[in-house]
Amino acid sequence: PPPPPTSGWQQGVFQPASTFANKCNAPRSGTDPATDGAYPDVQGTILDENNFLRSWSDNTYLWYDEITDQDPGDFNDPLVYFDQLKTFATTSSGAPKDNFHFTYDSLEWYNLSQGGVSAGYGAEWALISTTPPREIVVAYTEPNSPATEAGTDLARGATVLEIDGFDINTNTQAGVDALNAGLFPSTLGETHDFTVQDLDGTVRQITMTSEEITSAMVQNTQVINNTLNGNAIGYMTFNFFRAPAEQALVDAINTLDAANVDDLVLDIRYNGGGYLDIASQLAYMIAGAGPTAGKNFETIQFNDKHPATNPVTGQALAPTPFHTTGQGFSVAPTQALPTLDLPRVYVLTGSGTCSASEAVMNGLRGAGVEVIQIGATTCGKPYGFYATGNCGTSYFTIQFRGVNALDYGDYSDGFTPADVDDGMANVLGCTVADDYTRMLGAPAENRLEVALAHQAGQGCITPAAVGPELLSKPGVRLDAVDGVVRRSPFDSNRIMRH
């Protein structure tokens, strides 16, 4: 018989993950910003880190019984091993069943989730075509960022032509690596040159240096006079369910409530998700106490090893209610939330609309609030996870699914605008391409134009302008050979959906 593995691995036999937790090949020193104490790391090995991932995945992964158990001693990189600790099955559409398995550097994740801070320029890129002929445009920008400072003045719709001297249609790997490095700086202080073409046709050269970018969670809050019927329509662009969004949403809802709006257009086309508690708060602030009374926003379900207990927190499983007060992210837990008390909401969606954004749609529909979807099919993530840190890396593996008050949550291929709302993945609405020729919140922008017309009773009109849909999800990279390399959207800490 073959000798036993030197790693001590026995197929199908798992020790508790706590046996290996924080045993690190390269222990960290200093202060952990998440606890203000010392890092918990002790000296260990790569095998210890792999064994932690193996046991943790077997215990908490939603589809743990679809993981092929492989000897952790055969992998000398925990990130490579982690990539194997998932299902490789596909959905009925042929898409990967698990398309949301990813990692972050723990410090980067802490900064991003707690304050919306990341390295970048403050420009969100829309990768309309990731292979030649490529098309890369600015989807939106963050205020007070390198992208918007005087002399740079990037705005939605600007097209990227060259990066650091490489034409965007370069077909060499070195060129593609340069494009990715320029578009997605990994550290602070990186300087890259761009040739861009503005919407008015002007071609110009700009230089941007990456900085810590604090994202504006909510932008463009306004009241629009619908000239088709005279109604007051509230509008806001909502991009992230991160901690500062709690206060930003309260401020936006207070503004719209004071204006006594007749309807709301919630623009979440680029919102990849975040805290489920904030999603619950937003749904409550839209619907109010009437429709949500006595109903759950979402019920989460873990794998069959944990039918009644949350394996991460150890607490008894309980549905997520429609939160009526702050949850302590950036609003005091005792503070009552404002409400619009609307019987319906228009949502502007795209393929980047994911997880917690989809949970808002699903949760409202479960409470009997009419959701009208304008745009494109959402990403399809009725799943969530807790960020789990070990040895400086935060791991994200699908741990639970969510269902609404009507026990529906099977939208792994996304919500799609349709002629009839079937209570499931087909949502009443209109399929409309993204329009990069107009600013977000402009009444003539494709999706908002159709929403206003639909609100006035005109149905799904053909917008004045048409354009391509954003084909990729946030974090998609260019690739010269294989098309795209995906780094999935994130959710985590507390319960995150993204």
Side-chain angles (χ1 to χ4, degrees):
T6 57
S7 65
W9 170 68
Q10 290 180 286
Q11 190 170 32
V13 178
F14 299 87
Q15 298 184 50
S18 58
T19 305
F20 310 103
N22 304 314
K23 294 181 178 179
C24 309
N25 182 57
R28 294 166 292 174
S29 60
T31 301
D32 184 348
T35 63
D36 288 328
Y39 285 109
D41 304 1
V42 297
Q43 187 62 57
T45 65
I46 289 177
L47 180 59
D48 288 324
E49 295 186 37
N50 287 348
N51 272 320
F52 169 80
L53 293 174
R54 175 175 176 264
S55 295
W56 170 70
S57 299
D58 178 71
N59 183 44
T60 68
Y61 186 56
L62 184 61
W63 303 292
Y64 70 95
D65 52 353
E66 296 181 35
I67 296 175
T68 300
D69 189 17
Q70 301 180 64
D71 183 354
D74 290 344
F75 297 83
N76 60 11
D77 184 343
L79 298 184
V80 174
Y81 186 52
F82 178 67
D83 286 343
Q84 299 299 310
L85 297 174
K86 67 173 188 175
T87 179
F88 290 93
T90 58
T91 67
S92 58
S93 71
K97 184 176 179 178
D98 183 351
N99 200 27
F100 304 98
H101 194 76
F102 62 101
T103 64
Y104 264 90
D105 173 84
S106 291
L107 180 59
E108 181 185 358
W109 170 249
Y110 175 80
N111 290 333
L112 191 61
S113 63
Q114 297 303 307
V117 177
S118 59
Y121 315 114
E124 179 74 11
W125 309 110
L127 307 184
I128 297 170
S129 175
T130 59
T131 56
R134 297 187 178 96
E135 187 174 1
I136 306 167
V137 302
V138 177
Y140 66 87
T141 57
E142 299 289 353
N144 305 312
S145 67
T148 56
E149 66 183 14
T152 301
D153 302 311
L154 273 184
R156 176 175 169 85
T159 302
V160 178
L161 304 178
E162 293 182 359
I163 302 175
D164 289 336
F166 287 93
D167 185 277
I168 62 164
N169 290 317
T170 177
N171 58 7
T172 68
Q173 191 60 56
V176 171
D177 289 344
L179 297 183
N180 280 322
L183 289 170
F184 309 107
S186 58
T187 59
L188 302 177
E190 293 185 29
T191 297
H192 297 277
D193 299 322
F194 296 79
T195 300
V196 298
Q197 183 174 13
D198 295 324
L199 281 176
D200 64 4
T202 301
V203 176
R204 58 195 178 97
Q205 283 73 44
I206 61 173
T207 298
M208 294 190 290
T209 300
S210 60
E211 297 178 359
E212 282 193 354
I213 303 300
T214 301
S215 300
M217 307 292 138
V218 179
Q219 300 188 38
N220 308 314
T221 301
Q222 60 183 303
V223 179
I224 299 171
N225 175 38
N226 191 346
T227 58
L228 299 173
N229 60 3
N231 284 174
I233 310 300
Y235 171 90
M236 68 169 115
T237 308
F238 180 37
N239 292 329
F240 303 99
F241 286 87
R242 300 174 189 162
E246 186 180 32
Q247 183 63 59
L249 287 169
V250 167
D251 293 341
I253 296 297
N254 274 324
T255 297
L256 300 178
D257 183 45
N260 195 29
V261 296
D262 299 299
D263 258 310
L264 173 66
V265 176
L266 178 65
D267 194 339
I268 49 176
R269 72 184 80 188
Y270 304 128
N271 193 322
Y275 290 112
L276 186 63
D277 282 335
I278 296 178
S280 168
Q281 290 174 307
L282 174 58
Y284 170 74
M285 287 190 282
I286 291 170
T292 61
K295 296 185 176 70
N296 295 318
F297 173 69
E298 183 170 280
T299 299
I300 63 173
Q301 302 168 339
F302 289 85
N303 66 38
D304 58 12
K305 294 183 179 183
H306 308 285
T309 303
N310 184 317
V312 180
T313 67
Q315 298 176 346
L317 287 178
T320 300
F322 284 90
H323 291 307
T324 62
T325 64
Q327 296 298 299
F329 293 99
S330 48
V331 175
T334 57
Q335 181 176 325
L337 300 178
T339 61
L340 296 178
D341 303 317
L342 295 174
R344 71 177 179 186
V345 62
Y346 283 84
V347 292
L348 308 187
T349 66
S351 57
T353 304
C354 201
S355 200
S357 291
E358 294 171 301
V360 170
M361 298 171 63
N362 200 45
L364 285 171
R365 293 169 82 212
V369 175
E370 184 179 24
V371 174
I372 301 176
Q373 182 181 0
I374 309 295
T377 301
T378 62
C379 86
K381 186 173 181 289
Y383 313 115
F385 31 63
Y386 290 80
T388 300
N390 192 60
C391 300
T393 299
S394 290
Y395 295 93
F396 299 80
T397 196
I398 290 176
Q399 294 165 317
F400 60 86
R401 62 169 59 88
V403 298
N404 65 15
L406 298 176
D407 201 35
Y408 178 70
D410 188 18
Y411 51 90
S412 58
D413 284 321
F415 287 118
T416 299
D419 294 334
V420 176
D421 191 322
D422 63 4
M424 295 184 286
N426 291 320
V427 181
L428 178 65
C430 315
T431 297
V432 183
D434 211 342
D435 176 8
Y436 299 105
T437 67
R438 292 177 176 83
M439 299 300 107
L440 296 176
E445 187 273 323
N446 272 9
R447 289 174 175 167
L448 183 50
E449 179 188 7
V450 173
L452 294 174
H454 195 283
Q455 194 273 340
Q458 295 188 5
C460 296
I461 66 165
T462 300
V466 294
E469 162 59 11
L470 172 59
L471 299 179
S472 60
K473 297 172 183 171
V476 172
R477 304 300 171 104
L478 307 179
D479 192 277
V481 179
D482 299 322
V484 296
V485 177
R486 285 180 167 79
R487 185 177 83 172
S488 299
F490 60 89
D491 279 334
S492 192
N493 282 31
R494 286 203 167 154
I495 295 175
M496 295 200 80
R497 289 282 306 280
H498 199 326

